[in-house]
mmCIF file of all heavy atoms in Angstrom:
data_model
loop_
_atom_site.group_PDB
_atom_site.id
_atom_site.type_symbol
_atom_site.label_atom_id
_atom_site.label_comp_id
_atom_site.label_asym_id
_atom_site.label_seq_id
_atom_site.Cartn_x
_atom_site.Cartn_y
_atom_site.Cartn_z
ATOM 1 N N LEU A 1 -7.227 22.106 -9.589
ATOM 2 C CA LEU A 1 -6.339 21.069 -9.197
ATOM 3 C C LEU A 1 -5.431 20.421 -10.175
ATOM 4 O O LEU A 1 -4.234 20.279 -10.104
ATOM 5 C CB LEU A 1 -7.297 19.910 -8.682
ATOM 6 C CG LEU A 1 -6.704 18.735 -8.006
ATOM 7 C CD1 LEU A 1 -5.890 19.194 -6.727
ATOM 8 C CD2 LEU A 1 -7.723 17.712 -7.639
ATOM 9 N N SER A 2 -5.944 20.410 -11.377
ATOM 10 C CA SER A 2 -5.230 19.903 -12.555
ATOM 11 C C SER A 2 -4.041 20.921 -12.818
ATOM 12 O O SER A 2 -2.893 20.507 -13.152
ATOM 13 C CB SER A 2 -6.187 19.795 -13.964
ATOM 14 O OG SER A 2 -5.373 19.500 -14.964
ATOM 15 N N SER A 3 -4.287 22.298 -12.667
ATOM 16 C CA SER A 3 -3.285 23.216 -13.106
ATOM 17 C C SER A 3 -2.219 23.281 -12.050
ATOM 18 O O SER A 3 -1.141 23.598 -12.428
ATOM 19 C CB SER A 3 -3.966 24.575 -13.181
ATOM 20 O OG SER A 3 -4.456 24.953 -11.852
ATOM 21 N N ILE A 4 -2.454 22.820 -10.924
ATOM 22 C CA ILE A 4 -1.442 22.830 -9.782
ATOM 23 C C ILE A 4 -0.710 21.587 -9.694
ATOM 24 O O ILE A 4 0.242 21.397 -8.960
ATOM 25 C CB ILE A 4 -1.949 23.262 -8.457
ATOM 26 C CG1 ILE A 4 -3.008 22.346 -7.802
ATOM 27 C CG2 ILE A 4 -2.632 24.712 -8.595
ATOM 28 C CD1 ILE A 4 -3.288 22.543 -6.469
ATOM 29 N N PHE A 5 -1.250 20.549 -10.273
ATOM 30 C CA PHE A 5 -0.674 19.209 -10.167
ATOM 31 C C PHE A 5 0.717 19.207 -10.534
ATOM 32 O O PHE A 5 1.552 18.612 -9.761
ATOM 33 C CB PHE A 5 -1.429 18.140 -11.078
ATOM 34 C CG PHE A 5 -1.114 16.834 -10.694
ATOM 35 C CD1 PHE A 5 -1.778 16.026 -9.622
ATOM 36 C CD2 PHE A 5 -0.204 16.015 -11.457
ATOM 37 C CE1 PHE A 5 -1.532 14.850 -9.273
ATOM 38 C CE2 PHE A 5 0.128 14.807 -11.123
ATOM 39 C CZ PHE A 5 -0.652 14.107 -10.041
ATOM 40 N N SER A 6 1.135 19.923 -11.520
ATOM 41 C CA SER A 6 2.591 19.873 -11.946
ATOM 42 C C SER A 6 3.527 20.771 -10.884
ATOM 43 O O SER A 6 4.617 20.602 -10.934
ATOM 44 C CB SER A 6 2.776 20.540 -13.339
ATOM 45 O OG SER A 6 2.215 21.901 -13.327
ATOM 46 N N LEU A 7 2.729 21.539 -10.160
ATOM 47 C CA LEU A 7 3.517 22.348 -9.178
ATOM 48 C C LEU A 7 3.787 21.551 -7.919
ATOM 49 O O LEU A 7 4.593 22.056 -7.025
ATOM 50 C CB LEU A 7 2.671 23.548 -8.770
ATOM 51 C CG LEU A 7 2.248 24.520 -9.892
ATOM 52 C CD1 LEU A 7 1.586 25.646 -9.256
ATOM 53 C CD2 LEU A 7 3.668 25.135 -10.543
ATOM 54 N N ALA A 8 3.140 20.495 -7.731
ATOM 55 C CA ALA A 8 3.365 19.549 -6.494
ATOM 56 C C ALA A 8 4.777 19.324 -6.279
ATOM 57 O O ALA A 8 5.236 19.020 -5.100
ATOM 58 C CB ALA A 8 2.437 18.280 -6.548
ATOM 59 N N GLN A 9 5.614 19.099 -7.380
ATOM 60 C CA GLN A 9 6.945 18.761 -7.194
ATOM 61 C C GLN A 9 7.953 19.905 -6.760
ATOM 62 O O GLN A 9 9.002 19.748 -6.226
ATOM 63 C CB GLN A 9 7.449 18.341 -8.592
ATOM 64 C CG GLN A 9 6.700 17.057 -9.204
ATOM 65 C CD GLN A 9 6.802 15.902 -8.254
ATOM 66 O OE1 GLN A 9 7.871 15.621 -7.551
ATOM 67 N NE2 GLN A 9 5.627 15.222 -8.118
ATOM 68 N N VAL A 10 7.442 21.256 -6.871
ATOM 69 C CA VAL A 10 8.188 22.201 -6.620
ATOM 70 C C VAL A 10 8.003 22.878 -5.082
ATOM 71 O O VAL A 10 8.712 23.713 -4.652
ATOM 72 C CB VAL A 10 8.107 23.490 -7.512
ATOM 73 C CG1 VAL A 10 8.523 23.008 -8.901
ATOM 74 C CG2 VAL A 10 6.730 24.007 -7.616
ATOM 75 N N PHE A 11 6.911 22.379 -4.602
ATOM 76 C CA PHE A 11 6.457 22.872 -3.161
ATOM 77 C C PHE A 11 7.036 21.794 -2.257
ATOM 78 O O PHE A 11 6.919 20.597 -2.525
ATOM 79 C CB PHE A 11 4.998 22.942 -2.949
ATOM 80 C CG PHE A 11 4.414 24.323 -3.586
ATOM 81 C CD1 PHE A 11 3.961 24.330 -4.877
ATOM 82 C CD2 PHE A 11 4.310 25.426 -2.759
ATOM 83 C CE1 PHE A 11 3.400 25.613 -5.363
ATOM 84 C CE2 PHE A 11 3.864 26.592 -3.313
ATOM 85 C CZ PHE A 11 3.389 26.598 -4.621
ATOM 86 N N PRO A 12 7.581 22.228 -1.014
ATOM 87 C CA PRO A 12 7.870 21.300 -0.014
ATOM 88 C C PRO A 12 6.709 20.419 0.401
ATOM 89 O O PRO A 12 5.578 20.976 0.480
ATOM 90 C CB PRO A 12 8.345 22.143 1.018
ATOM 91 C CG PRO A 12 8.668 23.449 0.497
ATOM 92 C CD PRO A 12 7.714 23.588 -0.689
ATOM 93 N N PRO A 13 6.802 19.144 0.658
ATOM 94 C CA PRO A 13 5.695 18.256 0.951
ATOM 95 C C PRO A 13 4.970 18.785 2.280
ATOM 96 O O PRO A 13 5.675 19.115 3.225
ATOM 97 C CB PRO A 13 6.297 16.886 1.127
ATOM 98 C CG PRO A 13 7.679 17.189 1.428
ATOM 99 C CD PRO A 13 8.078 18.401 0.649
ATOM 100 N N SER A 14 3.641 18.995 2.100
ATOM 101 C CA SER A 14 2.928 19.453 3.357
ATOM 102 C C SER A 14 2.359 18.145 4.148
ATOM 103 O O SER A 14 1.925 18.501 5.205
ATOM 104 C CB SER A 14 1.733 20.274 2.825
ATOM 105 O OG SER A 14 0.997 19.652 1.930
ATOM 106 N N VAL A 15 2.349 17.017 3.526
ATOM 107 C CA VAL A 15 1.945 15.798 4.114
ATOM 108 C C VAL A 15 2.940 14.716 3.973
ATOM 109 O O VAL A 15 3.442 14.603 2.846
ATOM 110 C CB VAL A 15 0.607 15.448 3.541
ATOM 111 C CG1 VAL A 15 0.029 14.159 4.188
ATOM 112 C CG2 VAL A 15 -0.493 16.551 3.739
ATOM 113 N N GLU A 16 3.174 13.900 5.021
ATOM 114 C CA GLU A 16 4.093 12.802 4.940
ATOM 115 C C GLU A 16 3.172 11.576 5.386
ATOM 116 O O GLU A 16 2.277 11.732 6.284
ATOM 117 C CB GLU A 16 5.231 12.797 5.806
ATOM 118 C CG GLU A 16 6.232 13.861 5.461
ATOM 119 C CD GLU A 16 7.059 13.393 4.241
ATOM 120 O OE1 GLU A 16 6.916 12.185 3.836
ATOM 121 O OE2 GLU A 16 7.627 14.320 3.562
ATOM 122 N N ALA A 17 3.155 10.511 4.634
ATOM 123 C CA ALA A 17 2.379 9.280 4.944
ATOM 124 C C ALA A 17 3.332 8.146 5.197
ATOM 125 O O ALA A 17 4.297 7.877 4.424
ATOM 126 C CB ALA A 17 1.392 9.105 3.731
ATOM 127 N N LYS A 18 2.992 7.343 6.197
ATOM 128 C CA LYS A 18 3.723 6.074 6.428
ATOM 129 C C LYS A 18 2.903 5.018 6.986
ATOM 130 O O LYS A 18 1.761 5.329 7.683
ATOM 131 C CB LYS A 18 4.963 6.286 7.415
ATOM 132 C CG LYS A 18 4.552 6.704 8.817
ATOM 133 C CD LYS A 18 5.779 6.823 9.688
ATOM 134 C CE LYS A 18 5.439 7.172 11.168
ATOM 135 N NZ LYS A 18 6.616 7.165 11.923
ATOM 136 N N LEU A 19 3.270 3.744 6.769
ATOM 137 C CA LEU A 19 2.491 2.659 7.373
ATOM 138 C C LEU A 19 2.858 2.380 8.799
ATOM 139 O O LEU A 19 3.881 2.577 9.260
ATOM 140 C CB LEU A 19 2.872 1.354 6.599
ATOM 141 C CG LEU A 19 2.230 1.139 5.130
ATOM 142 C CD1 LEU A 19 2.753 -0.064 4.448
ATOM 143 C CD2 LEU A 19 0.816 1.318 5.188
ATOM 144 N N VAL A 20 1.685 2.013 9.492
ATOM 145 C CA VAL A 20 1.913 1.552 10.942
ATOM 146 C C VAL A 20 0.987 0.196 11.081
ATOM 147 O O VAL A 20 0.093 0.074 10.456
ATOM 148 C CB VAL A 20 1.480 2.445 12.041
ATOM 149 C CG1 VAL A 20 2.453 3.625 12.167
ATOM 150 C CG2 VAL A 20 0.103 2.966 11.745
ATOM 151 N N SER A 21 1.571 -0.760 11.996
ATOM 152 C CA SER A 21 0.885 -1.942 12.275
ATOM 153 C C SER A 21 0.882 -2.121 13.738
ATOM 154 O O SER A 21 1.722 -1.645 14.388
ATOM 155 C CB SER A 21 1.543 -3.163 11.588
ATOM 156 O OG SER A 21 0.858 -4.301 11.946
ATOM 157 N N ASN A 22 -0.077 -2.986 14.288
ATOM 158 C CA ASN A 22 -0.174 -3.316 15.630
ATOM 159 C C ASN A 22 0.534 -4.665 15.949
ATOM 160 O O ASN A 22 0.282 -5.225 17.131
ATOM 161 C CB ASN A 22 -1.503 -3.156 16.250
ATOM 162 C CG ASN A 22 -2.456 -4.284 15.684
ATOM 163 O OD1 ASN A 22 -2.175 -4.898 14.681
ATOM 164 N ND2 ASN A 22 -3.405 -4.737 16.481
ATOM 165 N N ALA A 23 1.285 -5.286 15.109
ATOM 166 C CA ALA A 23 1.831 -6.561 15.253
ATOM 167 C C ALA A 23 3.148 -6.707 14.554
ATOM 168 O O ALA A 23 3.169 -6.206 13.455
ATOM 169 C CB ALA A 23 0.797 -7.662 14.828
ATOM 170 N N ASP A 24 4.226 -7.413 15.230
ATOM 171 C CA ASP A 24 5.396 -7.795 14.538
ATOM 172 C C ASP A 24 5.146 -9.252 13.785
ATOM 173 O O ASP A 24 5.776 -9.276 12.857
ATOM 174 C CB ASP A 24 6.468 -7.938 15.687
ATOM 175 C CG ASP A 24 6.838 -6.567 16.247
ATOM 176 O OD1 ASP A 24 6.738 -5.526 15.402
ATOM 177 O OD2 ASP A 24 7.261 -6.379 17.349
ATOM 178 N N LEU A 25 4.440 -10.000 14.490
ATOM 179 C CA LEU A 25 4.122 -11.355 13.840
ATOM 180 C C LEU A 25 2.680 -11.534 13.985
ATOM 181 O O LEU A 25 1.913 -11.251 15.041
ATOM 182 C CB LEU A 25 4.925 -12.464 14.598
ATOM 183 C CG LEU A 25 6.451 -12.559 14.336
ATOM 184 C CD1 LEU A 25 7.066 -13.643 15.313
ATOM 185 C CD2 LEU A 25 6.798 -12.839 12.935
ATOM 186 N N VAL A 26 1.995 -12.321 13.005
ATOM 187 C CA VAL A 26 0.721 -12.616 13.053
ATOM 188 C C VAL A 26 0.531 -14.033 12.661
ATOM 189 O O VAL A 26 1.031 -14.731 11.861
ATOM 190 C CB VAL A 26 -0.167 -11.817 11.971
ATOM 191 C CG1 VAL A 26 -1.570 -12.148 12.021
ATOM 192 C CG2 VAL A 26 0.063 -10.181 12.188
ATOM 193 N N GLU A 27 -0.269 -14.715 13.512
ATOM 194 C CA GLU A 27 -0.585 -16.095 13.386
ATOM 195 C C GLU A 27 -1.618 -16.431 12.380
ATOM 196 O O GLU A 27 -2.635 -15.593 12.244
ATOM 197 C CB GLU A 27 -1.086 -16.691 14.715
ATOM 198 C CG GLU A 27 -1.387 -18.171 14.717
ATOM 199 C CD GLU A 27 -2.013 -18.682 16.077
ATOM 200 O OE1 GLU A 27 -2.069 -17.914 17.068
ATOM 201 O OE2 GLU A 27 -2.312 -19.890 16.104
ATOM 202 N N PRO A 28 -1.508 -17.241 11.551
ATOM 203 C CA PRO A 28 -2.570 -17.508 10.431
ATOM 204 C C PRO A 28 -3.900 -17.829 11.145
ATOM 205 O O PRO A 28 -3.992 -18.331 12.125
ATOM 206 C CB PRO A 28 -2.045 -19.000 9.920
ATOM 207 C CG PRO A 28 -0.477 -18.870 10.007
ATOM 208 C CD PRO A 28 -0.334 -18.245 11.260
ATOM 209 N N GLY A 29 -4.839 -17.232 10.477
ATOM 210 C CA GLY A 29 -6.217 -17.164 11.153
ATOM 211 C C GLY A 29 -6.437 -15.979 12.101
ATOM 212 O O GLY A 29 -7.616 -15.744 12.511
ATOM 213 N N ASP A 30 -5.639 -15.181 12.320
ATOM 214 C CA ASP A 30 -5.669 -14.038 13.277
ATOM 215 C C ASP A 30 -5.878 -12.701 12.441
ATOM 216 O O ASP A 30 -5.753 -12.790 11.171
ATOM 217 C CB ASP A 30 -4.462 -13.871 14.246
ATOM 218 C CG ASP A 30 -4.807 -13.387 15.517
ATOM 219 O OD1 ASP A 30 -5.833 -12.702 15.561
ATOM 220 O OD2 ASP A 30 -3.929 -13.462 16.548
ATOM 221 N N THR A 31 -6.314 -11.719 13.218
ATOM 222 C CA THR A 31 -6.414 -10.394 12.602
ATOM 223 C C THR A 31 -5.555 -9.270 13.106
ATOM 224 O O THR A 31 -5.169 -9.395 14.337
ATOM 225 C CB THR A 31 -7.955 -9.968 12.979
ATOM 226 O OG1 THR A 31 -8.818 -10.889 12.414
ATOM 227 C CG2 THR A 31 -8.215 -8.633 12.286
ATOM 228 N N PHE A 32 -5.046 -8.435 12.348
ATOM 229 C CA PHE A 32 -4.176 -7.363 12.738
ATOM 230 C C PHE A 32 -4.593 -6.062 12.212
ATOM 231 O O PHE A 32 -5.483 -6.049 11.310
ATOM 232 C CB PHE A 32 -2.722 -7.724 12.541
ATOM 233 C CG PHE A 32 -2.386 -7.645 11.061
ATOM 234 C CD1 PHE A 32 -1.709 -6.349 10.507
ATOM 235 C CD2 PHE A 32 -2.707 -8.626 10.135
ATOM 236 C CE1 PHE A 32 -1.435 -6.309 9.286
ATOM 237 C CE2 PHE A 32 -2.514 -8.525 8.700
ATOM 238 C CZ PHE A 32 -1.732 -7.335 8.391
ATOM 239 N N ASN A 33 -4.120 -5.002 12.690
ATOM 240 C CA ASN A 33 -4.482 -3.631 12.198
ATOM 241 C C ASN A 33 -3.383 -3.142 11.220
ATOM 242 O O ASN A 33 -2.052 -3.240 11.575
ATOM 243 C CB ASN A 33 -4.687 -2.596 13.295
ATOM 244 C CG ASN A 33 -5.855 -2.909 14.064
ATOM 245 O OD1 ASN A 33 -6.914 -3.425 13.652
ATOM 246 N ND2 ASN A 33 -5.843 -2.350 15.332
ATOM 247 N N LEU A 34 -3.641 -2.572 10.210
ATOM 248 C CA LEU A 34 -2.657 -1.823 9.330
ATOM 249 C C LEU A 34 -3.203 -0.503 8.841
ATOM 250 O O LEU A 34 -4.341 -0.506 8.427
ATOM 251 C CB LEU A 34 -2.367 -2.806 8.122
ATOM 252 C CG LEU A 34 -1.240 -2.188 7.069
ATOM 253 C CD1 LEU A 34 0.129 -2.216 7.835
ATOM 254 C CD2 LEU A 34 -1.138 -3.163 5.862
ATOM 255 N N GLY A 35 -2.511 0.620 9.002
ATOM 256 C CA GLY A 35 -2.998 1.798 8.798
ATOM 257 C C GLY A 35 -1.935 2.837 8.173
ATOM 258 O O GLY A 35 -0.721 2.349 8.140
ATOM 259 N N VAL A 36 -2.359 3.925 7.730
ATOM 260 C CA VAL A 36 -1.592 5.035 7.240
ATOM 261 C C VAL A 36 -1.598 6.242 8.141
ATOM 262 O O VAL A 36 -2.696 6.692 8.564
ATOM 263 C CB VAL A 36 -1.873 5.373 5.827
ATOM 264 C CG1 VAL A 36 -1.015 6.524 5.374
ATOM 265 C CG2 VAL A 36 -1.962 4.269 4.953
ATOM 266 N N VAL A 37 -0.405 6.637 8.668
ATOM 267 C CA VAL A 37 -0.336 7.745 9.491
ATOM 268 C C VAL A 37 -0.017 9.074 8.649
ATOM 269 O O VAL A 37 1.076 8.816 7.758
ATOM 270 C CB VAL A 37 0.737 7.678 10.587
ATOM 271 C CG1 VAL A 37 0.965 9.034 11.316
ATOM 272 C CG2 VAL A 37 0.280 6.699 11.599
ATOM 273 N N PHE A 38 -0.815 10.075 8.709
ATOM 274 C CA PHE A 38 -0.489 11.261 7.867
ATOM 275 C C PHE A 38 0.084 12.370 8.935
ATOM 276 O O PHE A 38 -0.611 12.706 9.749
ATOM 277 C CB PHE A 38 -1.767 11.799 7.239
ATOM 278 C CG PHE A 38 -2.344 10.871 6.189
ATOM 279 C CD1 PHE A 38 -3.183 9.879 6.554
ATOM 280 C CD2 PHE A 38 -2.065 10.985 4.822
ATOM 281 C CE1 PHE A 38 -3.864 8.944 5.632
ATOM 282 C CE2 PHE A 38 -2.539 10.078 3.935
ATOM 283 C CZ PHE A 38 -3.536 9.183 4.315
ATOM 284 N N ALA A 39 1.216 12.866 8.701
ATOM 285 C CA ALA A 39 1.678 13.964 9.466
ATOM 286 C C ALA A 39 1.548 15.230 8.546
ATOM 287 O O ALA A 39 2.113 15.302 7.425
ATOM 288 C CB ALA A 39 3.112 13.712 9.730
ATOM 289 N N ILE A 40 0.701 16.090 8.950
ATOM 290 C CA ILE A 40 0.214 17.309 8.304
ATOM 291 C C ILE A 40 0.938 18.627 8.764
ATOM 292 O O ILE A 40 0.896 18.811 9.933
ATOM 293 C CB ILE A 40 -1.184 17.368 8.264
ATOM 294 C CG1 ILE A 40 -1.859 16.135 8.004
ATOM 295 C CG2 ILE A 40 -1.767 18.559 7.435
ATOM 296 C CD1 ILE A 40 -3.451 15.995 8.143
ATOM 297 N N GLU A 41 1.550 19.429 7.882
ATOM 298 C CA GLU A 41 2.210 20.533 8.251
ATOM 299 C C GLU A 41 1.256 21.604 8.965
ATOM 300 O O GLU A 41 -0.060 21.588 8.460
ATOM 301 C CB GLU A 41 2.938 21.192 7.119
ATOM 302 C CG GLU A 41 4.212 20.532 6.612
ATOM 303 C CD GLU A 41 5.360 20.590 7.658
ATOM 304 O OE1 GLU A 41 5.483 21.688 8.158
ATOM 305 O OE2 GLU A 41 5.985 19.558 8.052
ATOM 306 N N PRO A 42 1.682 22.409 9.779
ATOM 307 C CA PRO A 42 0.780 23.427 10.436
ATOM 308 C C PRO A 42 0.097 24.389 9.221
ATOM 309 O O PRO A 42 0.772 24.826 8.290
ATOM 310 C CB PRO A 42 1.755 24.187 11.364
ATOM 311 C CG PRO A 42 2.769 23.223 11.653
ATOM 312 C CD PRO A 42 2.955 22.374 10.406
#
């Protein structure tokens, strides 16, 4: 893993990560979901 770490920049990304939430606005005292969606290459 260490030996390929420097190679990560030369390979096209196999995974994309982005944030998603279930709320546009949240009231103080309330609870909402926040997560990371991973899109993984075939």
